[in-house]
Amino acid sequence: MESQAKAFRCRRCGACCRVPGYVRVSDEDVEALAEALGLTPEALVERHTDLSPGRTGLVLKGAPEAPCRFLTEGNLCRVHAARPRQCRDYPARWRSSDIEAVCLAARSEK
């Protein structure tokens, strides 16, 4: 899979940020996002996260079928440098058939 990830070239279409689901955030993600947004970690948690289904951690706020709250109208990530690990690790460490169905870059690397 690592060689596939090296071949992956994001086209910045934003499709992956519109696929239904949740973006999990770790303590490290909270710290990075808070710094990027000029917030305290507590304020970041209050404004931008919810308890995950199953109550196993935090996820970014928003309906699971809605685009990521940090996706801009121009299909760019407003917090790209501090984006959560789940986002940073795609496609090197995890894949989703739902995302691959809409991601032209993932489909073209096969």
Side-chain angles (χ1 to χ4, degrees), residues 2 7 11 22-23 29 31 35 38 40 48 57 60 68 76 82 89 91 94 101-103 108:
E2 190 172 322
R11 296 181 183 195
Y22 295 97
V23 176
D29 295 330
E31 293 287 333
E35 185 174 333
T40 65
H48 296 288
L60 291 180
C68 176
L76 298 176
D89 283 353
W94 69 272
V102 297
C103 177
S108 67

Side-chain angles (χ1 to χ4, degrees), residues 31-58:
E31 293 287 333
L33 287 166
E35 185 174 333
L37 294 169
L39 300 170
T40 65
E42 295 79 13
L44 183 281
V45 168
E46 184 177 323
R47 292 181 197 173
H48 296 288
T49 70
D50 283 324
L51 188 59
S52 69
R55 308 179 127 211
T56 58
L58 297 175

Side-chain angles (χ1 to χ4, degrees), residues 3 8 10 21 23 26 31-32 34 41 51 58 85 98 102 110:
S3 64
F8 181 82
C10 179
V23 176
S26 67
E31 293 287 333
L51 188 59
L58 297 175
R85 175 164 294 285
D98 291 337
V102 297
K110 292 183 176 183

Side-chain angles (χ1 to χ4, degrees), residues 7-101:
F8 181 82
R9 298 289 179 254
C10 179
R11 296 181 183 195
R12 296 185 175 143
C13 68
C16 59
C17 301
R18 290 184 181 85
V19 171
Y22 295 97
V23 176
R24 295 187 175 279
V25 290
S26 67
D27 292 343
E28 293 81 16
D29 295 330
V30 167
E31 293 287 333
L33 287 166
E35 185 174 333
L37 294 169
L39 300 170
T40 65
E42 295 79 13
L44 183 281
V45 168
E46 184 177 323
R47 292 181 197 173
H48 296 288
T49 70
D50 283 324
L51 188 59
S52 69
R55 308 179 127 211
T56 58
L58 297 175
V59 294
L60 291 180
K61 279 188 179 183
E65 65 280 356
C68 176
R69 69 189 299 109
F70 296 120
L71 183 66
T72 69
E73 288 185 28
N75 292 322
L76 298 176
C77 178
R78 187 164 57 105
V79 294
H80 190 267
R83 67 195 183 281
R85 175 164 294 285
Q86 179 176 327
C87 304
R88 289 191 318 265
D89 283 353
Y90 179 79
R93 301 222 181 252
W94 69 272
R95 294 217 173 212
S96 160
S97 58
D98 291 337
I99 291 178
E100 288 185 16

